[in-house]
Amino acid sequence: DPMRNLSHRCNLLEALRWRYLLDKRPHVMSAPKSDPAKQAAVSAADRKYVFHSWSAQGAISPMPFASGSGSRFWDHAGKVYLDFSSQLVFTNIGHQHPKVIKAIQEQAEVLTTIAPQHANDARNEAAQRIVELAGDTFAKIFFTTAGADAVENAIRMARMHTHKHKILSTYRSYHGNTGAAINATGDPRRFPNEFAFGHVHFWGPYLYRTPFWATTEEQECQRALEHLEQTIIFEGPNTIAAILIESIPGTAGVLVPPKGYLEGIRALCDKYKLLWIADEVMAGFGRTGKWFAYQHSAVVPDLITFAKGVTSGYIPLGGVVISEPVSKTFDERVFAGGMTYMGHPLACATAVATIDVMKEEKMLENATMIGETILGPGLKELAKKHKIIGDIRGAGVFWGIDMVSDRATHAPLAPYGASSPAMNELVAACKNHGLMPFNNFNRIHLCPPCNISVEDAQLGLEILDKSLTEIAKYYTGS
């Protein structure tokens, strides 16, 4: 009985509430069972055979998980977590949605795989749906297996289309771990991987830690665009193929751009004959309440990269949405790129089902409502109570919290590029109370599924409140 385990962590009222919420969900699997032996065996096998990313292998102890349902997942010992990370911000429809699982099963019975040079219904349907979501100026989809190779190939397209080589991207960004994508990335994971050429970084807008001495969103927007234009001029417009930006930078802190910034990007690209590549790998497919985060603006990019939420991570898929002018470049000219599993039928069928259930169940509308009525207001109330919260940013089910040790100086609770005992304790407290956040450096990100219930969103804030109380000692300001 999961209640027996949960009640050790929560009071009786919270436990009863969890049971009520679990029982009312529309697609609940069988309750988790406690099997400590299985938990230990999975952990031991992982440590023996699996090489993990971005880690010193001897310094990590990955958590073994068994299954999940909706906004929750659990380990083999029966401990349940409310998923405010959406794993790596990709389970946009939650765990184990039955309609999508059924679509995968049905596709597997018809065509499990096919080489990319052939046509198939699943790929056609997925491409048509994604083009329609992007809008009239887009023509085709180049499918990839993930977000990094989507960015890689968008950069390649931009260079071939413009006959120019440089790519401009921001310091606070993450674009993936392949050759050009990691060089376009701004965060420290770039440092040991700088082998590609032609990448230039600039400062994007971030009023809370402004590099432009701005005091308002309007100033930050204006000065950031002026800085970018100077970067373009001094790098030479005739050498620059594209500006690559996350429409809302995710891993860097959910940095919602000020009003007018994306319109300014579009204007600069038009002025200097550059392409705008919108990285929507994390922010796309409902995460901000829109199909793509750039749709909060009045302008449209030339290329869009996507992955993650397009299949809710059920089967890996990524791609590039290509505008009509760029697509026509390759009507007679060979595009020099491709992958063995691009447009894999199982993945494409998953994308079709994911998009369809998001529409049928009004998940974008739900994400918007959750952001506007629960997460946004709730985080503001937590900031009044906990001085350790420095800044809050977000939209839909995509929120970032800057944790500080001093509000007056904005001193981060962990240094750039690293963690700290305070942040480690905060994350541990959240997990201990059954909440799985997404954390990076001095930030906590709240990124639950787009179809999370009001009750679960409120419960997540309650657990965060309790966890913040436990680390209040680390606040040193007045």
Side-chain angles (χ1 to χ4, degrees):
D1 189 340
M3 290 299 302
R4 185 173 302 165
N5 184 281
L6 186 63
S7 62
H8 290 307
R9 306 183 283 115
C10 303
N11 61 37
L12 180 60
L13 180 60
E14 287 174 326
L16 290 173
R17 182 180 186 182
W18 182 84
R19 170 66 66 86
Y20 166 73
L21 294 174
L22 185 63
D23 288 347
K24 69 180 279 194
R25 293 200 66 77
H27 54 278
V28 174
M29 298 176 62
S30 57
K33 298 178 181 179
S34 179
D35 189 349
K38 177 71 170 179
Q39 183 88 343
V42 172
S43 183
D46 175 271
R47 293 184 68 84
K48 184 174 181 179
Y49 296 111
V50 178
F51 195 97
H52 286 269
S53 59
W54 304 116
S55 303
Q57 304 303 297
I60 59 173
S61 182
M63 302 169 69
F65 289 105
S67 190
S69 179
S71 296
R72 287 176 170 77
F73 64 110
W74 48 81
D75 63 20
H76 296 279
K79 183 169 182 177
V80 182
Y81 295 86
L82 185 58
D83 194 355
F84 265 49
S85 67
S86 290
Q87 300 305 294
L88 276 177
V89 197
F90 58 69
T91 51
N92 289 14
I93 63 171
H95 296 269
Q96 300 297 113
H97 196 294
K99 291 182 180 179
V100 177
I101 292 172
K102 183 180 179 182
I104 296 170
Q105 293 168 337
E106 290 176 350
Q107 181 63 41
E109 291 175 354
V110 175
L111 180 68
T112 54
T113 192
I114 197 77
Q117 66 265 31
H118 305 302
N120 71 85
D121 286 341
R123 186 189 300 150
N124 295 345
E125 287 188 37
Q128 180 179 347
R129 277 169 171 72
I130 296 167
V131 166
E132 289 171 351
L133 296 178
D136 295 341
T137 60
F138 294 94
K140 293 184 178 181
I141 305 295
F142 178 86
F143 283 109
T144 66
T145 53
D149 47 0
V151 171
E152 198 80 23
N153 282 281
I155 289 173
R156 190 175 299 175
M157 286 179 193
R159 286 171 167 166
M160 294 179 72
H161 173 76
T162 63
H163 302 283
K164 297 186 285 185
H165 67 281
K166 286 180 185 172
I167 303 295
L168 271 55
S169 55
T170 64
Y171 279 107
R172 290 188 174 96
S173 65
Y174 183 74
H175 296 289
N177 186 34
T178 53
I182 196 65
N183 272 265
T185 290
D187 82 23
R189 284 173 285 185
R190 180 183 87 248
F191 302 159
N193 293 297
E194 294 180 305
F195 302 110
F197 84 109
H199 292 272
V200 177
H201 291 90
F202 63 94
W203 292 106
Y206 181 13
L207 181 60
Y208 188 67
R209 301 188 183 281
T210 175
F212 307 115
W213 298 277
T215 58
T216 66
E217 289 283 343
E218 293 78 12
Q219 281 184 351
E220 185 74 1
C221 181
Q222 178 187 349
R223 294 175 185 183
L225 289 170
E226 289 172 351
H227 157 72
L228 174 55
E229 183 163 23
Q230 289 300 305
T231 303
I232 292 169
I233 291 169
F234 278 84
E235 285 294 332
N238 291 333
T239 71
I240 301 169
I243 297 173
L244 166 64
I245 58 167
E246 295 172 90
S247 301
I248 296 180
T251 305
V254 190
L255 305 178
V256 179
K259 184 178 180 180
Y261 184 71
L262 295 185
E263 287 83 354
I265 292 283
R266 178 73 273 170
L268 288 173
C269 286
D270 293 344
K271 180 177 181 178
Y272 292 104
K273 296 181 172 54
L274 321 177
L275 295 187
W276 168 20
I277 305 173
D279 184 336
E280 294 274 353
V281 170
M282 187 175 283
F285 290 91
R287 179 111 326 249
T288 70
K290 300 283 189 181
W291 287 108
F292 299 104
Y294 78 82
Q295 291 171 337
H296 290 282
S297 76
V299 287
V300 178
D302 300 290
L303 296 167
I304 306 166
T305 63
F306 66 88
K308 291 186 184 285
V310 67
T311 61
S312 206
Y314 287 22
I315 293 180
L317 182 69
V320 184
V321 191
I322 311 168
S323 64
E324 187 81 32
V326 178
S327 176
K328 285 186 175 299
T329 292
F330 301 100
D331 282 350
E332 303 298 331
R333 182 181 181 185
V334 173
F335 175 68
M339 289 75 64
T340 299
Y341 302 119
M342 60 181 296
H344 193 283
L346 279 181
C348 288
T350 307
V352 170
T354 298
I355 292 168
D356 287 352
V357 299
M358 292 189 85
K359 290 180 177 179
E360 292 166 11
E361 299 178 16
K362 298 187 182 301
M363 292 190 195
L364 273 67
E365 294 86 344
N366 187 72
T368 298
M369 179 272 295
I370 291 291
E372 292 179 351
T373 66
I374 308 298
L375 295 181
L379 286 171
K380 288 180 181 178
E381 289 301 312
L382 288 184
K384 294 177 183 177
K385 181 177 179 181
H386 301 282
K387 291 185 176 181
I388 207 163
I389 292 177
D391 189 44
I392 300 162
R393 307 166 296 271
V397 286
F398 199 32
W399 292 82
I401 310 170
D402 256 66
M403 309 302 299
V404 297
S405 58
D406 189 325
R407 279 187 174 179
T409 65
H410 296 188
L413 203 59
Y416 178 74
S419 188
S420 67
M423 287 301 298
N424 291 341
E425 286 186 31
L426 175 57
V427 173
C430 287
K431 292 178 181 178
N432 182 54
H433 295 302
L435 180 72
M436 185 64 69
F438 182 95
N439 63 287
N440 190 37
F441 307 162
N442 71 308
R443 299 182 305 274
I444 289 289
H445 299 181
L446 302 184
C447 308
C450 297
N451 57 344
I452 190 172
S453 68
V454 167
E455 295 87 351
D456 279 355
Q458 291 172 333
L459 180 59
L461 291 177
E462 291 170 15
I463 296 174
L464 179 60
D465 182 14
K466 182 185 299 184
S467 303
L468 289 169
T469 299
E470 294 181 14
I471 66 154
K473 62 185 178 183
Y474 287 103
Y475 186 78
T476 58
S478 56

mmCIF file of all heavy atoms in Angstrom, residues 232-269:
data_model
loop_
_atom_site.group_PDB
_atom_site.id
_atom_site.type_symbol
_atom_site.label_atom_id
_atom_site.label_comp_id
_atom_site.label_asym_id
_atom_site.label_seq_id
_atom_site.Cartn_x
_atom_site.Cartn_y
_atom_site.Cartn_z
ATOM 1 N N ILE A 232 26.671 42.397 -34.045
ATOM 2 C CA ILE A 232 26.518 42.077 -35.465
ATOM 3 C C ILE A 232 27.445 42.938 -36.316
ATOM 4 O O ILE A 232 28.154 42.444 -37.208
ATOM 5 C CB ILE A 232 25.043 42.278 -35.897
ATOM 6 C CG1 ILE A 232 24.133 41.235 -35.226
ATOM 7 C CG2 ILE A 232 24.915 42.197 -37.419
ATOM 8 C CD1 ILE A 232 22.656 41.529 -35.387
ATOM 9 N N ILE A 233 27.469 44.230 -36.026
ATOM 10 C CA ILE A 233 28.294 45.154 -36.819
ATOM 11 C C ILE A 233 29.775 44.815 -36.707
ATOM 12 O O ILE A 233 30.502 44.759 -37.710
ATOM 13 C CB ILE A 233 28.026 46.608 -36.372
ATOM 14 C CG1 ILE A 233 26.612 47.038 -36.770
ATOM 15 C CG2 ILE A 233 29.070 47.562 -36.960
ATOM 16 C CD1 ILE A 233 26.164 48.345 -36.163
ATOM 17 N N PHE A 234 30.209 44.553 -35.465
ATOM 18 C CA PHE A 234 31.641 44.315 -35.271
ATOM 19 C C PHE A 234 32.069 42.907 -35.675
ATOM 20 O O PHE A 234 33.259 42.671 -35.922
ATOM 21 C CB PHE A 234 32.023 44.616 -33.815
ATOM 22 C CG PHE A 234 32.245 46.079 -33.558
ATOM 23 C CD1 PHE A 234 31.177 46.923 -33.291
ATOM 24 C CD2 PHE A 234 33.518 46.634 -33.618
ATOM 25 C CE1 PHE A 234 31.368 48.276 -33.082
ATOM 26 C CE2 PHE A 234 33.724 47.987 -33.418
ATOM 27 C CZ PHE A 234 32.649 48.818 -33.146
ATOM 28 N N GLU A 235 31.134 41.963 -35.758
ATOM 29 C CA GLU A 235 31.474 40.638 -36.275
ATOM 30 C C GLU A 235 31.381 40.596 -37.793
ATOM 31 O O GLU A 235 31.973 39.729 -38.425
ATOM 32 C CB GLU A 235 30.544 39.574 -35.671
ATOM 33 C CG GLU A 235 30.865 39.224 -34.233
ATOM 34 C CD GLU A 235 32.222 38.542 -34.081
ATOM 35 O OE1 GLU A 235 32.685 37.875 -35.040
ATOM 36 O OE2 GLU A 235 32.819 38.684 -32.997
ATOM 37 N N GLY A 236 30.622 41.536 -38.364
ATOM 38 C CA GLY A 236 30.490 41.593 -39.815
ATOM 39 C C GLY A 236 29.248 40.875 -40.295
ATOM 40 O O GLY A 236 29.232 39.636 -40.336
ATOM 41 N N PRO A 237 28.190 41.608 -40.654
ATOM 42 C CA PRO A 237 26.949 40.965 -41.098
ATOM 43 C C PRO A 237 27.142 39.993 -42.258
ATOM 44 O O PRO A 237 26.420 38.996 -42.349
ATOM 45 C CB PRO A 237 26.074 42.156 -41.515
ATOM 46 C CG PRO A 237 26.615 43.321 -40.747
ATOM 47 C CD PRO A 237 28.086 43.073 -40.621
ATOM 48 N N ASN A 238 28.121 40.264 -43.100
ATOM 49 C CA ASN A 238 28.348 39.385 -44.251
ATOM 50 C C ASN A 238 29.014 38.067 -43.887
ATOM 51 O O ASN A 238 29.224 37.214 -44.757
ATOM 52 C CB ASN A 238 29.191 40.107 -45.303
ATOM 53 C CG ASN A 238 28.426 41.244 -45.956
ATOM 54 O OD1 ASN A 238 27.200 41.212 -46.023
ATOM 55 N ND2 ASN A 238 29.145 42.254 -46.435
ATOM 56 N N THR A 239 29.338 37.911 -42.584
ATOM 57 C CA THR A 239 29.910 36.633 -42.129
ATOM 58 C C THR A 239 28.932 35.852 -41.264
ATOM 59 O O THR A 239 29.220 34.720 -40.876
ATOM 60 C CB THR A 239 31.191 36.877 -41.306
ATOM 61 O OG1 THR A 239 30.857 37.460 -40.034
ATOM 62 C CG2 THR A 239 32.171 37.767 -42.043
ATOM 63 N N ILE A 240 27.775 36.438 -40.932
ATOM 64 C CA ILE A 240 26.852 35.840 -39.961
ATOM 65 C C ILE A 240 25.679 35.180 -40.674
ATOM 66 O O ILE A 240 24.939 35.827 -41.421
ATOM 67 C CB ILE A 240 26.329 36.905 -38.974
ATOM 68 C CG1 ILE A 240 27.491 37.557 -38.228
ATOM 69 C CG2 ILE A 240 25.346 36.274 -37.979
ATOM 70 C CD1 ILE A 240 27.094 38.794 -37.447
ATOM 71 N N ALA A 241 25.495 33.894 -40.433
ATOM 72 C CA ALA A 241 24.387 33.145 -41.040
ATOM 73 C C ALA A 241 23.099 33.314 -40.258
ATOM 74 O O ALA A 241 22.027 33.487 -40.842
ATOM 75 C CB ALA A 241 24.741 31.662 -41.138
ATOM 76 N N ALA A 242 23.192 33.256 -38.914
ATOM 77 C CA ALA A 242 21.959 33.222 -38.133
ATOM 78 C C ALA A 242 22.181 33.646 -36.693
ATOM 79 O O ALA A 242 23.295 33.569 -36.169
ATOM 80 C CB ALA A 242 21.373 31.808 -38.162
ATOM 81 N N ILE A 243 21.093 34.098 -36.102
ATOM 82 C CA ILE A 243 21.016 34.283 -34.654
ATOM 83 C C ILE A 243 20.201 33.127 -34.107
ATOM 84 O O ILE A 243 19.059 32.891 -34.531
ATOM 85 C CB ILE A 243 20.346 35.623 -34.294
ATOM 86 C CG1 ILE A 243 21.186 36.795 -34.803
ATOM 87 C CG2 ILE A 243 20.140 35.733 -32.792
ATOM 88 C CD1 ILE A 243 20.512 38.143 -34.635
ATOM 89 N N LEU A 244 20.788 32.381 -33.200
ATOM 90 C CA LEU A 244 20.154 31.215 -32.583
ATOM 91 C C LEU A 244 19.833 31.545 -31.141
ATOM 92 O O LEU A 244 20.734 31.823 -30.349
ATOM 93 C CB LEU A 244 21.098 30.012 -32.661
ATOM 94 C CG LEU A 244 20.775 28.802 -31.790
ATOM 95 C CD1 LEU A 244 19.446 28.167 -32.201
ATOM 96 C CD2 LEU A 244 21.911 27.780 -31.863
ATOM 97 N N ILE A 245 18.551 31.558 -30.798
ATOM 98 C CA ILE A 245 18.178 31.809 -29.402
ATOM 99 C C ILE A 245 17.051 30.867 -28.984
ATOM 100 O O ILE A 245 16.195 30.493 -29.793
ATOM 101 C CB ILE A 245 17.722 33.264 -29.160
ATOM 102 C CG1 ILE A 245 16.531 33.624 -30.049
ATOM 103 C CG2 ILE A 245 18.863 34.236 -29.352
ATOM 104 C CD1 ILE A 245 15.846 34.912 -29.637
ATOM 105 N N GLU A 246 17.067 30.471 -27.717
ATOM 106 C CA GLU A 246 15.900 29.826 -27.137
ATOM 107 C C GLU A 246 14.830 30.899 -26.976
ATOM 108 O O GLU A 246 15.093 31.973 -26.427
ATOM 109 C CB GLU A 246 16.224 29.241 -25.773
ATOM 110 C CG GLU A 246 17.236 28.110 -25.800
ATOM 111 C CD GLU A 246 17.666 27.710 -24.396
ATOM 112 O OE1 GLU A 246 17.018 26.830 -23.805
ATOM 113 O OE2 GLU A 246 18.638 28.306 -23.900
ATOM 114 N N SER A 247 13.633 30.631 -27.440
ATOM 115 C CA SER A 247 12.567 31.632 -27.347
ATOM 116 C C SER A 247 12.344 32.045 -25.895
ATOM 117 O O SER A 247 12.120 33.223 -25.604
ATOM 118 C CB SER A 247 11.277 31.090 -27.956
ATOM 119 O OG SER A 247 11.479 30.733 -29.308
ATOM 120 N N ILE A 248 12.385 31.078 -24.992
ATOM 121 C CA ILE A 248 12.514 31.332 -23.559
ATOM 122 C C ILE A 248 13.638 30.422 -23.072
ATOM 123 O O ILE A 248 13.447 29.201 -23.017
ATOM 124 C CB ILE A 248 11.217 31.040 -22.785
ATOM 125 C CG1 ILE A 248 10.088 31.978 -23.231
ATOM 126 C CG2 ILE A 248 11.460 31.183 -21.281
ATOM 127 C CD1 ILE A 248 8.773 31.756 -22.506
ATOM 128 N N PRO A 249 14.804 30.962 -22.772
ATOM 129 C CA PRO A 249 15.898 30.105 -22.294
ATOM 130 C C PRO A 249 15.468 29.291 -21.079
ATOM 131 O O PRO A 249 14.953 29.839 -20.101
ATOM 132 C CB PRO A 249 17.001 31.115 -21.950
ATOM 133 C CG PRO A 249 16.725 32.282 -22.847
ATOM 134 C CD PRO A 249 15.230 32.366 -22.922
ATOM 135 N N GLY A 250 15.659 27.974 -21.156
ATOM 136 C CA GLY A 250 15.148 27.076 -20.129
ATOM 137 C C GLY A 250 16.142 26.729 -19.056
ATOM 138 O O GLY A 250 16.042 27.187 -17.911
ATOM 139 N N THR A 251 17.130 25.916 -19.394
ATOM 140 C CA THR A 251 18.128 25.492 -18.418
ATOM 141 C C THR A 251 18.845 26.684 -17.808
ATOM 142 O O THR A 251 19.278 26.642 -16.656
ATOM 143 C CB THR A 251 19.147 24.555 -19.092
ATOM 144 O OG1 THR A 251 18.443 23.460 -19.698
ATOM 145 C CG2 THR A 251 20.129 23.998 -18.073
ATOM 146 N N ALA A 252 18.946 27.775 -18.539
ATOM 147 C CA ALA A 252 19.630 28.978 -18.050
ATOM 148 C C ALA A 252 18.795 29.761 -17.040
ATOM 149 O O ALA A 252 19.282 30.739 -16.480
ATOM 150 C CB ALA A 252 19.993 29.883 -19.219
ATOM 151 N N GLY A 253 17.528 29.357 -16.824
ATOM 152 C CA GLY A 253 16.770 30.029 -15.771
ATOM 153 C C GLY A 253 15.359 30.432 -16.099
ATOM 154 O O GLY A 253 14.765 31.225 -15.376
ATOM 155 N N VAL A 254 14.768 29.903 -17.177
ATOM 156 C CA VAL A 254 13.431 30.309 -17.628
ATOM 157 C C VAL A 254 13.399 31.839 -17.742
ATOM 158 O O VAL A 254 12.693 32.536 -17.020
ATOM 159 C CB VAL A 254 12.315 29.789 -16.709
ATOM 160 C CG1 VAL A 254 10.954 30.016 -17.355
ATOM 161 C CG2 VAL A 254 12.489 28.289 -16.399
ATOM 162 N N LEU A 255 14.203 32.344 -18.651
ATOM 163 C CA LEU A 255 14.406 33.783 -18.806
ATOM 164 C C LEU A 255 13.424 34.339 -19.836
ATOM 165 O O LEU A 255 13.735 34.470 -21.020
ATOM 166 C CB LEU A 255 15.849 34.062 -19.228
ATOM 167 C CG LEU A 255 16.935 33.472 -18.317
ATOM 168 C CD1 LEU A 255 18.315 33.771 -18.873
ATOM 169 C CD2 LEU A 255 16.802 34.008 -16.902
ATOM 170 N N VAL A 256 12.224 34.635 -19.381
ATOM 171 C CA VAL A 256 11.187 35.152 -20.269
ATOM 172 C C VAL A 256 11.653 36.490 -20.843
ATOM 173 O O VAL A 256 11.959 37.425 -20.097
ATOM 174 C CB VAL A 256 9.867 35.336 -19.511
ATOM 175 C CG1 VAL A 256 8.797 35.907 -20.441
ATOM 176 C CG2 VAL A 256 9.401 34.006 -18.914
ATOM 177 N N PRO A 257 11.737 36.617 -22.170
ATOM 178 C CA PRO A 257 12.251 37.866 -22.749
ATOM 179 C C PRO A 257 11.282 39.017 -22.527
ATOM 180 O O PRO A 257 10.063 38.820 -22.488
ATOM 181 C CB PRO A 257 12.382 37.537 -24.244
ATOM 182 C CG PRO A 257 11.402 36.435 -24.473
ATOM 183 C CD PRO A 257 11.382 35.628 -23.208
ATOM 184 N N PRO A 258 11.791 40.238 -22.367
ATOM 185 C CA PRO A 258 10.903 41.389 -22.200
ATOM 186 C C PRO A 258 10.089 41.634 -23.465
ATOM 187 O O PRO A 258 10.479 41.239 -24.572
ATOM 188 C CB PRO A 258 11.866 42.541 -21.918
ATOM 189 C CG PRO A 258 13.173 42.102 -22.485
ATOM 190 C CD PRO A 258 13.209 40.610 -22.342
ATOM 191 N N LYS A 259 8.964 42.285 -23.278
ATOM 192 C CA LYS A 259 8.096 42.597 -24.404
ATOM 193 C C LYS A 259 8.865 43.376 -25.469
ATOM 194 O O LYS A 259 9.540 44.360 -25.172
ATOM 195 C CB LYS A 259 6.907 43.427 -23.916
ATOM 196 C CG LYS A 259 5.877 43.729 -25.001
ATOM 197 C CD LYS A 259 4.707 44.516 -24.440
ATOM 198 C CE LYS A 259 3.675 44.816 -25.523
ATOM 199 N NZ LYS A 259 2.520 45.586 -24.978
ATOM 200 N N GLY A 260 8.788 42.908 -26.692
ATOM 201 C CA GLY A 260 9.456 43.575 -27.804
ATOM 202 C C GLY A 260 10.800 42.991 -28.178
ATOM 203 O O GLY A 260 11.333 43.313 -29.248
ATOM 204 N N TYR A 261 11.360 42.104 -27.352
ATOM 205 C CA TYR A 261 12.707 41.602 -27.639
ATOM 206 C C TYR A 261 12.720 40.705 -28.876
ATOM 207 O O TYR A 261 13.580 40.866 -29.762
ATOM 208 C CB TYR A 261 13.281 40.859 -26.442
ATOM 209 C CG TYR A 261 14.704 40.398 -26.665
ATOM 210 C CD1 TYR A 261 15.754 41.309 -26.701
ATOM 211 C CD2 TYR A 261 15.001 39.060 -26.868
ATOM 212 C CE1 TYR A 261 17.058 40.907 -26.933
ATOM 213 C CE2 TYR A 261 16.311 38.633 -27.094
ATOM 214 C CZ TYR A 261 17.336 39.551 -27.121
ATOM 215 O OH TYR A 261 18.623 39.140 -27.341
ATOM 216 N N LEU A 262 11.795 39.771 -28.970
ATOM 217 C CA LEU A 262 11.778 38.890 -30.142
ATOM 218 C C LEU A 262 11.450 39.681 -31.401
ATOM 219 O O LEU A 262 11.997 39.398 -32.476
ATOM 220 C CB LEU A 262 10.775 37.756 -29.941
ATOM 221 C CG LEU A 262 11.108 36.771 -28.812
ATOM 222 C CD1 LEU A 262 10.109 35.627 -28.786
ATOM 223 C CD2 LEU A 262 12.533 36.217 -28.948
ATOM 224 N N GLU A 263 10.591 40.689 -31.270
ATOM 225 C CA GLU A 263 10.334 41.558 -32.413
ATOM 226 C C GLU A 263 11.613 42.286 -32.831
ATOM 227 O O GLU A 263 11.868 42.469 -34.032
ATOM 228 C CB GLU A 263 9.251 42.575 -32.053
ATOM 229 C CG GLU A 263 7.842 41.995 -31.956
ATOM 230 C CD GLU A 263 7.528 41.339 -30.617
ATOM 231 O OE1 GLU A 263 8.450 41.231 -29.779
ATOM 232 O OE2 GLU A 263 6.382 40.927 -30.408
ATOM 233 N N GLY A 264 12.431 42.662 -31.863
ATOM 234 C CA GLY A 264 13.710 43.296 -32.160
ATOM 235 C C GLY A 264 14.679 42.347 -32.841
ATOM 236 O O GLY A 264 15.443 42.751 -33.750
ATOM 237 N N ILE A 265 14.682 41.084 -32.413
ATOM 238 C CA ILE A 265 15.516 40.065 -33.065
ATOM 239 C C ILE A 265 15.122 39.936 -34.536
ATOM 240 O O ILE A 265 15.974 39.917 -35.442
ATOM 241 C CB ILE A 265 15.365 38.708 -32.352
ATOM 242 C CG1 ILE A 265 15.974 38.745 -30.952
ATOM 243 C CG2 ILE A 265 15.958 37.578 -33.199
ATOM 244 C CD1 ILE A 265 17.465 38.671 -30.907
ATOM 245 N N ARG A 266 13.810 39.861 -34.775
ATOM 246 C CA ARG A 266 13.327 39.731 -36.150
ATOM 247 C C ARG A 266 13.761 40.932 -36.999
ATOM 248 O O ARG A 266 14.198 40.776 -38.154
ATOM 249 C CB ARG A 266 11.809 39.625 -36.116
ATOM 250 C CG ARG A 266 11.097 39.533 -37.461
ATOM 251 C CD ARG A 266 11.269 38.178 -38.144
ATOM 252 N NE ARG A 266 12.477 38.090 -38.957
ATOM 253 C CZ ARG A 266 12.943 36.968 -39.482
ATOM 254 N NH1 ARG A 266 12.297 35.822 -39.275
ATOM 255 N NH2 ARG A 266 14.034 36.956 -40.201
ATOM 256 N N ALA A 267 13.632 42.125 -36.426
ATOM 257 C CA ALA A 267 13.996 43.328 -37.165
ATOM 258 C C ALA A 267 15.481 43.355 -37.505
ATOM 259 O O ALA A 267 15.870 43.742 -38.618
ATOM 260 C CB ALA A 267 13.602 44.571 -36.359
ATOM 261 N N LEU A 268 16.335 42.955 -36.570
ATOM 262 C CA LEU A 268 17.774 42.936 -36.831
ATOM 263 C C LEU A 268 18.126 41.893 -37.886
ATOM 264 O O LEU A 268 18.989 42.125 -38.752
ATOM 265 C CB LEU A 268 18.547 42.668 -35.536
ATOM 266 C CG LEU A 268 18.568 43.818 -34.523
ATOM 267 C CD1 LEU A 268 19.220 43.373 -33.223
ATOM 268 C CD2 LEU A 268 19.299 45.027 -35.100
ATOM 269 N N CYS A 269 17.460 40.738 -37.824
ATOM 270 C CA CYS A 269 17.716 39.708 -38.832
ATOM 271 C C CYS A 269 17.325 40.212 -40.218
ATOM 272 O O CYS A 269 18.046 39.984 -41.200
ATOM 273 C CB CYS A 269 16.956 38.432 -38.481
ATOM 274 S SG CYS A 269 17.663 37.514 -37.097
#
